[in-house]
Amino acid sequence: MATEDDVRSAALALPGVTERLSWGRPAWFAATLMARIWEDGVLTVKTEEREALAGTHPETFFWTPHHDRSPQLVLVRLDRIDLGELGELLDESHRLAGGRRR
């Protein structure tokens, strides 16, 4: 199970990532937005695997009609992923958001 504090630690460990509020919620930015707390316990990240993730694990990965026009965004229930999976999601999101390489 991952928490918002885990997200913060993992995101800020990536090169060039900064934190600030977006729509009143904690968000992490590389060149662009890479992750944001959507609501308590739910994280938004960028991925090229949205359809596959939501198709195979809909209890963990999903999106709302708000996200339909942004095909790289997926919502993640933090209580359903471990820290390793969180790190992988944030690494991919960092890359897609134009983050600097390590």
Side-chain angles (χ1 to χ4, degrees):
M1 180 171 123
T3 67
E4 184 177 320
D5 286 337
D6 295 325
V7 173
R8 178 173 287 107
S9 294
L12 292 175
L14 294 166
V17 172
T18 59
E19 179 178 344
R20 65 180 184 266
L21 293 179
S22 173
W23 296 93
R25 295 285 188 162
W28 297 271
F29 293 80
T32 63
L33 177 72
M34 63 168 268
R36 181 172 83 85
I37 297 296
W38 178 254
E39 60 187 37
D40 291 344
V42 178
L43 178 69
T44 305
V45 293
K46 292 181 177 182
T47 181
E48 294 175 328
E49 303 296 325
R50 177 169 93 164
E51 297 282 339
L53 290 169
T56 56
H57 301 288
E59 68 285 350
T60 304
F61 302 98
F62 65 103
W63 65 89
T64 69
H66 172 84
H67 300 93
D68 282 341
R69 65 176 189 243
S70 301
Q72 288 187 324
L73 294 179
V74 69
L75 297 170
V76 183
R77 289 184 177 93
L78 291 173
D79 65 352
R80 296 193 162 269
I81 62 169
D82 63 29
L83 297 181
E85 192 169 14
L86 174 64
E88 290 174 13
L89 290 166
L90 290 172
D91 281 344
E92 180 183 13
S93 193
H94 179 256
R95 179 182 56 79
L96 293 171
R100 297 190 319 248
R101 294 181 189 249
R102 293 180 199 247

